[in-house]
Amino acid sequence: MFKDKDRYLSILLISPSILALLIFVYGFIGWSVRVSLSNWKGLNPDYSWAGLKNYLALFSDPRFHVDVRNTLIFTSVFVVGSILLGFFLAVMLDQGLKGEGFFRSLFLFPMAISYIVTGVVWRWLMNPAEGSRMSGFNLLFTSLHLDFLVNKWHTTPIWGMAAIALAAIWQMSGYTMALYLAGLRSIPHELREAAQIDGANEIQIYRNIILPLLAPVTLSALIILGHMSLKVFDLIIAIAGKQLPLDVPAIYMWQTTFDGLFYARGAAIGILLLISVAVLIIPYIRYTLKTETQQ
Amino acid sequence: MNKFRIGKNWLYVPLIAMAVFYLIPMYVILATGFKSFAEVDLKTMWNLPHGIAFDNYIEAFKHLAPSLKNSFIMVIPAALISSMLGSLNGFVLAKWKFRGADIIFPFILFGMFIPYQSIIIPLVQFMNVIGIKGLAGLAMAHIIYGIPITTLTFRNYYASLPQELLEAAKIDGADMLGVYRHILLPISIPSFVVVLIWQFTSAWNDFLFAVILTGNTDWPITVALNNMAGSQIIAWNVQMAGSLLAALPTLLVYIFLGRYFLRGLLAGSLKG
């Protein structure tokens, strides 16, 4: 059906992009893996073989353990918070109230701005200063006589990451709301009406019909938000800078590589990050493409 | 349905409470930004300004103007070129499948999820070797790492078009490029808007590539704002005004073209 000329032309059209991705994604990943297996430390490249030394060093590195703990805290608060908040916002907006469009736009606008802007503002909102220097949320809580809410935010030991996650929820919950809203809109009205006629109440309809139908949306949200939280970087830098209690692999990688010039170790952190993201994303891509061909 | 409607008005209470939560940072940015230097004080940060003053914006603009310009210089070609490439790729992958097209596609998609820490060392080395530095290198990175999502968006759109549309044109003797130029391109404008907005927003908001690929003469806005916020010399009220300046271009795009923004957002979860 296709002329040969067109077949060659189609390959010709797509090949610059394919070549670019082949080099910049797969070639560079391979190159990073090679760096991670070397002794490269300092400005001059050193590709002498080090085996898995850099990985083993990370596994027994207390700072890397802090990073893993921080990532786990951030991920759980951020993912659970965004999914719950996004779901309830979507359900409320799906009730056919007046002003729905206005609220929807409002809940989504943080998505349009950068983590850096969010971080710079939240850094002042979550100012942990006490006494006469008190400001931000703590000052607001005090003047509303809600003193029990006053806290140290991201400077809280161990749980400081949860405060960073709060800023991330502010930024990203509109996204889960949009995903759920699209999911709710794709559920045929007849289904709900049939259940109403059968005498099901609102809660039963949500629990037995709507929630199961939204399971694929929840899966998407889990994976997209989960992989984002593995990569979290800018937001922490903007709120707190580089400090050990709020360290994550992305910041450790950056400091090791560009401040410490320990390229081999930095590459190893980068590759570990890649592996953790790939574990989530590769099955997700396969699942999405498979359901697509079934439709 | 009407019977439920009256009973649902209570929902405005949580909705308005949430609206307040989302608006708090915006309120602080605006209220602080418009206060005069004399009026600014951390202790009164929640108070409305007594009048409208532009001291903070003038001061912030003095610091940020060069990097705002840098961001525009870098973002516009990055958005245009990666959208164009995405459209061609999407066309080929959706309508002119060659053998192996379906095998290549997931490999293209994977590129949009990788943590850039896993490619940043080779990227810096590579840019040094080929001698593309500063804003040009940054634009190039955004073009290439933008290809997966632009390709995905266009491929899904073109795949939704009926094959008959193309067949008719082929019978009329149009070749492949003719079909693209005369049939698909004119009806691709909405998809172009979606993709351009998406690329504009993500390149504008990027920090990691920017901080590593540019130096202090060509910092884009995110890096300049972060440095401003980290400095002890620049007061917090000026930082707030600077935040608004940094956010304004993408916020305006969102306010005026929000519908398209939302579609790009959903495409990012592979659901476009």
Side-chain angles (χ1 to χ4, degrees):
Chain A
M1 189 171 73
F2 300 125
K3 292 181 219 127
D4 272 352
K5 193 192 93 186
D6 287 342
R7 188 183 299 276
Y8 292 129
L9 194 58
S10 74
I11 294 175
L12 194 71
L13 282 179
I14 199 174
S15 50
S17 300
I18 300 290
L19 192 69
L21 292 178
L22 214 56
I23 297 173
F24 279 72
V25 176
Y26 296 96
F28 283 5
I29 289 174
W31 189 346
S32 276
V33 171
R34 182 64 189 86
V35 174
S36 77
L37 300 172
S38 76
N39 291 304
W40 183 356
K41 191 175 188 177
L43 278 173
N44 295 320
D46 168 10
Y47 285 99
S48 61
W49 187 257
L52 293 173
K53 202 177 79 185
N54 290 305
Y55 292 96
L56 295 175
L58 284 171
F59 293 143
S60 56
D61 176 356
R63 176 164 174 189
F64 197 68
H65 296 167
V66 172
D67 291 5
V68 172
R69 185 198 67 199
N70 282 346
T71 305
L72 287 177
I73 294 176
F74 180 85
T75 305
S76 15
V77 177
F78 168 61
V79 172
V80 173
S82 301
I83 285 184
L84 286 180
L85 189 56
F87 175 75
F88 283 113
L89 292 176
V91 168
M92 286 196 284
L93 288 183
D94 195 40
Q95 306 300 318
L97 294 169
K98 263 198 204 113
E100 179 211 317
F102 168 78
F103 283 109
R104 197 183 49 214
S105 308
L106 190 69
F107 299 151
L108 255 172
F109 91 87
M111 282 290 306
I113 62 185
S114 62
Y115 277 131
I116 297 294
V117 168
T118 302
V120 168
V121 180
W122 278 77
R123 162 203 196 115
W124 289 102
L125 291 174
M126 302 197 295
N127 190 342
E130 288 168 341
S132 61
R133 288 171 54 241
M134 193 185 263
S135 72
F137 284 135
N138 284 352
L139 179 68
L140 187 69
F141 292 150
T142 316
S143 53
L144 295 173
H145 303 289
L146 297 168
D147 294 69
F148 66 95
L149 285 172
V150 170
N151 71 84
K152 297 175 101 59
W153 302 102
H154 55 282
T155 58
T156 310
I158 299 176
W159 289 97
M161 283 304 282
I164 308 270
L166 194 66
I169 292 173
W170 176 81
Q171 180 131 19
M172 294 297 302
S173 47
Y175 173 67
T176 40
M177 176 206 72
L179 286 180
Y180 277 118
L181 210 49
L184 285 167
R185 295 286 145 86
S186 69
I187 296 173
H189 266 291
E190 296 79 41
L191 263 180
R192 298 192 204 196
E193 280 162 21
Q196 273 170 357
I197 291 166
D198 288 346
N201 62 35
E202 284 284 284
I203 291 171
Q204 284 170 325
I205 292 176
Y206 272 96
R207 214 179 52 201
N208 299 327
I209 299 174
I210 294 179
L211 269 183
L213 286 172
L214 289 178
V217 179
T218 306
L219 180 73
S220 298
L222 269 174
I223 287 171
I224 301 290
L225 298 176
H227 106 285
M228 278 177 181
S229 54
L230 292 172
K231 299 197 278 195
V232 62
F233 173 73
D234 331 11
L235 185 63
I236 303 178
I237 294 281
I239 293 178
K242 295 176 250 180
Q243 42 172 297
L244 206 48
L246 298 171
D247 200 41
V248 289
I251 295 178
Y252 192 12
M253 187 277 163
W254 191 36
Q255 273 200 304
T256 308
T257 312
F258 299 105
D259 299 342
L261 300 178
F262 197 171
Y263 283 80
R265 188 67 55 82
I269 304 172
I271 294 302
L272 288 177
L273 260 181
L274 177 73
I275 293 171
S276 60
V277 167
V279 166
L280 280 177
I281 289 299
I282 291 175
Y284 180 63
I285 292 177
R286 293 187 54 175
Y287 159 82
T288 312
L289 293 179
K290 210 162 70 192
T291 45
E292 186 191 74
T293 40
Q294 277 164 1
Q295 273 163 6
Chain B
M1 286 307 276
N2 268 336
K3 152 177 95 155
F4 285 102
R5 200 153 281 171
I6 305 148
K8 279 177 176 168
N9 278 339
W10 66 271
L11 281 172
Y12 283 112
V13 177
L15 275 175
I16 288 168
M18 287 319 296
V20 170
F21 169 67
Y22 283 93
L23 282 173
I24 281 176
M26 245 10 227
Y27 169 79
V28 173
I29 288 182
L30 290 172
T32 309
F34 286 114
K35 281 172 189 166
S36 66
F37 281 157
E39 201 189 335
V40 163
D41 185 347
L42 271 175
K43 277 190 230 99
T44 55
M45 78 181 274
W46 295 100
N47 299 5
L48 278 166
H50 292 308
I52 302 271
F54 292 94
D55 301 7
N56 296 309
Y57 289 103
I58 293 165
E59 183 68 17
F61 190 74
K62 265 203 305 222
H63 288 280
L64 296 177
S67 50
L68 282 167
K69 193 176 132 210
N70 288 337
S71 276
F72 278 112
I73 291 174
M74 174 274 297
V75 156
I76 291 168
L80 284 174
I81 296 171
S82 62
S83 304
M84 205 53 230
L85 289 173
S87 169
L88 287 172
N89 297 340
F91 171 58
V92 170
L93 289 172
K95 292 295 179 203
W96 295 81
K97 283 187 183 171
F98 48 89
R99 213 175 306 140
D102 286 334
I103 299 170
I104 289 180
F105 189 54
F107 285 93
I108 296 179
L109 286 188
F110 184 62
M112 73 194 232
F113 295 106
I114 57 166
Y116 294 130
Q117 276 81 5
S118 64
I119 49 88
I120 198 93
I121 296 172
L123 182 68
V124 174
Q125 300 287 315
F126 185 84
M127 292 296 192
N128 282 336
V129 170
I130 62 172
I132 297 181
K133 297 231 162 91
L135 289 178
L138 185 56
M140 188 172 152
H142 283 304
I143 290 168
I144 291 172
Y145 294 105
I147 289 173
I149 191 155
T150 59
T151 301
L152 169 74
T153 309
F154 280 109
R155 173 194 172 269
N156 286 353
Y157 174 60
Y158 293 144
S160 72
L161 299 174
Q163 195 69 29
E164 293 82 50
L165 200 70
L166 278 77
E167 299 303 331
K170 274 193 268 176
I171 289 163
D172 291 344
D175 63 357
M176 181 182 175
L177 283 181
V179 171
Y180 178 70
R181 264 219 352 243
H182 300 298
I183 313 239
L184 287 190
L185 207 52
I187 52 173
S188 301
I189 305 299
S191 290
F192 266 103
V193 178
V194 170
V195 166
L196 282 169
I197 290 176
W198 184 259
Q199 286 302 99
F200 177 85
T201 309
S202 46
W204 184 276
N205 288 343
D206 161 73
F207 178 72
L208 180 63
F209 280 150
V211 77
I212 283 166
L213 294 175
T214 60
N216 57 11
T217 53
D218 45 16
W219 276 335
I221 185 69
T222 44
V223 182
L225 178 68
N226 185 55
N227 289 335
M228 185 167 144
S231 105
Q232 303 294 320
I233 310 156
I234 294 162
W236 68 286
N237 40 302
V238 180
Q239 296 175 18
M240 293 290 147
S243 299
L244 187 68
L245 294 179
L248 209 53
T250 51
L251 266 185
L252 288 177
V253 166
Y254 174 71
I255 290 167
F256 290 109
L257 297 162
R259 197 157 51 91
Y260 297 95
F261 181 84
L262 187 60
R263 278 180 49 194
L265 208 60
L266 297 176
S269 64
L270 304 183
K271 294 274 173 268

